[in-house]
Amino acid sequence: MSEATPVENLTPDEAAAELARLAALIAEADAAYYQEDAPVLTDAEYDAARQRNLAIEARFPELKREDSPSDRVGAVAQDGFAKATHAAPMLSLDNAFSDEDVTEFAGRIRRFLGLDESEPLELTAEPKIDGLSLSLTYEKGKLKRAATRGNGLVGEDVTANALTLNDIPTKLAGKDWPDFIEIRGEVYMSHADFAALNAREDQAGRKTFANPRNAAAGSLRQLDTEITKSRPLNFFAYAWAAESAPFAETQSEAVAKFAEWGFQTNPLMATAATVDDLIATYRNIEQQRATLGYDIDGVVYKVNRLDWQQRLGFVSRAPRWAIAHKFPAEKATTTLEEIDIQVGRTGSLTPVARLAPVTVGGVVVSNATLHNEDEIERLGVKPGDTVEIQRAGDVIPQVLRVVQDGGGKVWHMPDTCPVCGSAAVREIDDKGEADVRRRCTG
Ligand SMILES: [Zn+2]
């Protein structure tokens, strides 16, 4: 059996072993994502692991594990922050990966509600922001608490840090808000702020962040509020829970209220009357993805009528009335022509892949990061090789793997600085471990 064995070909023994492997893999990925802000799987790999786990459970329901990842929505609260129990669980969304999945989603809703073809089913479509979910509790219009999602039931109390964000009102504007409400949304960092932050971190000799989402999570979940304050974080409001009184009849009306109350809401949110309209909105948002200035990883659809949302309710860990239509991972294959060295302002040497230009997700890419010499060794990449590259969440594309050996010579990191000719070394830390980066000694 291998990871590639189709689910329909698995024997029960193989399926049990595969469920155990996926449970461990997803738990490790969750821990890395939520607690260390350093992902071990790409988003596409993570989604694929969760999908495979679900597919195996669907075929072998009796083999579903006690610790099944499909019953968990995230990792446990990190030590250091007070625990915060959500007034209503923060669940995740089911995913759609194709237009057919979206058609099926709309069909399931129609059947559940007993709507015939002539009855319109209006849905909202909005970009799925690739950030960190946050729940804000307002009592009598005043911000009482901000909490991360955590495991969906209990998160971390990050109120002091949330107060440093300009996009989070401490007091709601207007006066038609319910006395009690949890406003939910996504904390994110723009591409420009992410690039500037990483430049500062690099200059200070600190570890840089892998992508804007990790930078946002690492910045919000700081025990030192001053650090959060120094980081440019944004927030889009898009959902709510536990309201003490109804305040809208539709999803779009509710989000329009959020804007009146002082929140930023996503300008690309739209409504669609048919599945075709929905898919057209998806394509439109996908086309704008590269120029938005922040990361999104799909489009979320929701039934617009709130009374229908109520009737549809929830199944397992997700609402029946919403789905996330994910973008395909943006990958492409091209020739790696040369490996150049960039020397940072602190003297750190970074290898950069010069590529034969190729279009990835609508953007022409001619450079990709190789991170450091350990990464080059791991990939076994040399000039002349055909490589697969990915632009997914990251601002700088990265080399994923060698597709075809170009027969070139093995590449080694230079031991002198290409700028000044001084020796370039990997410093050894107190624990006897070599720095991942080589630095100019000049
Ligand atoms: Zn130098």
Side-chain angles (χ1 to χ4, degrees):
M1 179 195 58
S2 82
E3 210 172 312
T5 307
V7 172
E8 58 268 28
N9 296 346
L10 292 174
T11 66
D13 282 352
E14 288 170 344
E18 188 64 350
L19 287 175
R21 185 185 73 83
L22 289 166
L25 177 73
I26 293 167
E28 186 199 345
D30 282 343
Y33 180 114
Y34 287 98
Q35 293 168 0
E36 294 154 31
D37 303 320
V40 294
L41 296 181
T42 65
D43 292 355
E45 287 164 347
Y46 182 82
D47 286 340
R50 281 202 96 116
Q51 282 296 113
R52 185 168 168 82
N53 186 72
L54 281 175
I56 298 173
E57 285 176 352
R59 201 182 145 215
F60 299 99
E62 70 284 2
L63 295 180
K64 186 172 166 182
R65 298 168 59 87
E66 282 286 304
D67 63 348
S68 167
S70 49
D71 291 337
R72 287 184 296 118
V73 290
V76 292
Q78 187 191 41
D79 288 339
F81 289 102
K83 287 186 172 34
T85 304
H86 302 299
M90 288 181 85
L91 301 173
S92 29
L93 297 178
D94 279 337
N95 292 322
F97 295 96
S98 64
D99 295 358
E100 292 71 47
D101 290 348
V102 179
T103 305
E104 280 174 27
F105 163 70
R108 280 197 302 276
I109 290 170
R110 285 189 169 279
R111 282 193 300 280
F112 192 97
L113 294 173
L115 303 183
D116 64 42
E117 281 309 310
S118 64
E119 182 128 28
L121 170 64
E122 193 174 56
L123 293 131
T124 60
E126 63 191 296
K128 186 172 185 298
I129 312 299
D130 194 9
L132 176 79
S133 302
L134 190 69
S135 182
L136 305 169
T137 304
Y138 286 87
E139 283 177 38
K140 301 216 183 302
K142 292 209 180 81
L143 179 66
K144 288 291 171 187
R145 189 187 73 180
T148 62
R149 186 170 72 177
N151 67 3
L153 301 172
V154 180
E156 297 160 343
D157 186 326
V158 292
T159 311
N161 293 348
L163 286 168
T164 69
L165 272 70
N166 288 332
D167 289 352
I168 295 180
T170 53
K171 203 172 170 303
L172 298 179
K175 52 178 183 300
D176 60 342
W177 24 260
D179 274 352
F180 184 96
I181 189 167
E182 280 191 16
I183 302 282
R184 292 169 177 183
E186 203 85 354
V187 174
Y188 67 98
M189 191 179 282
S190 74
H191 291 163
D193 289 335
F194 168 71
L197 171 63
N198 261 359
R200 285 203 306 276
E201 292 293 292
D202 188 53
Q203 198 174 358
R206 288 190 294 262
K207 208 178 91 186
T208 54
F209 292 99
N211 57 48
R213 181 183 59 205
N214 292 314
S219 300
L220 186 70
R221 296 164 72 256
Q222 279 288 339
L223 293 172
D224 181 353
T225 301
E226 285 305 310
I227 296 178
T228 306
K229 200 172 179 176
S230 73
R231 304 273 176 85
L233 294 171
N234 303 93
F235 179 80
F236 278 127
Y238 54 71
W240 69 98
E243 69 279 22
S244 57
F247 62 97
E249 287 182 357
T250 62
Q251 183 74 28
S252 37
E253 192 193 336
V255 172
K257 286 272 170 73
F258 294 168
E260 287 171 21
W261 298 344
F263 291 100
Q264 299 298 318
T265 58
N266 196 281
L268 297 180
M269 184 172 174
T271 55
T274 65
V275 170
D276 286 348
D277 279 0
L278 214 52
I279 304 286
T281 307
Y282 172 90
R283 301 264 179 268
N284 176 32
I285 291 175
E286 189 179 27
Q287 273 179 5
Q288 297 185 59
R289 185 180 184 187
T291 54
L292 287 178
Y294 51 86
D295 280 338
I296 63 173
D297 59 359
V299 177
V300 175
Y301 308 134
K302 292 174 181 168
V303 170
N304 203 18
R305 273 178 63 166
L306 300 184
D307 57 337
W308 284 357
Q309 287 189 8
Q310 198 107 54
R311 270 172 65 193
L312 285 155
F314 297 84
V315 58
S316 179
R317 53 178 259 276
R320 248 189 219 103
W321 42 266
I323 202 163
H325 190 178
K326 303 298 276 290
F327 292 135
E330 298 174 301
K331 291 180 188 172
T333 299
T334 187
T335 308
L336 186 149
E337 295 178 332
E338 208 69 63
I339 298 175
D340 285 351
I341 303 297
Q342 268 177 3
V343 182
R345 291 164 81 174
T346 53
S348 61
L349 274 55
T350 305
V352 176
R354 303 292 176 209
L355 308 166
V358 62
T359 304
V360 195
V363 174
V364 177
V365 167
S366 54
N367 299 312
T369 181
L370 286 162
H371 301 290
N372 55 55
E373 54 197 285
D374 294 344
E375 176 72 358
I376 292 175
E377 197 179 332
R378 189 183 71 78
L379 293 165
V381 67
K382 317 182 295 305
D385 288 353
T386 304
V387 294
E388 184 176 42
I389 61 164
Q390 174 170 278
R391 257 186 82 237
D394 292 3
V395 178
I396 308 165
Q398 65 185 91
V399 176
L400 286 184
R401 64 189 181 99
V402 174
V403 176
Q404 201 183 349
D405 188 331
K409 275 197 290 186
V410 175
W411 187 89
H412 291 289
M413 197 78 174
D415 49 18
T416 54
C417 169
V419 174
C420 69
S422 306
V425 299
R426 297 175 75 169
E427 280 162 18
I428 310 293
D429 69 14
D430 327 336
K431 292 178 194 133
E433 282 173 34
D435 189 345
V436 292
R437 282 171 187 254
R438 196 171 279 270
R439 287 177 199 278
C440 167
T441 53

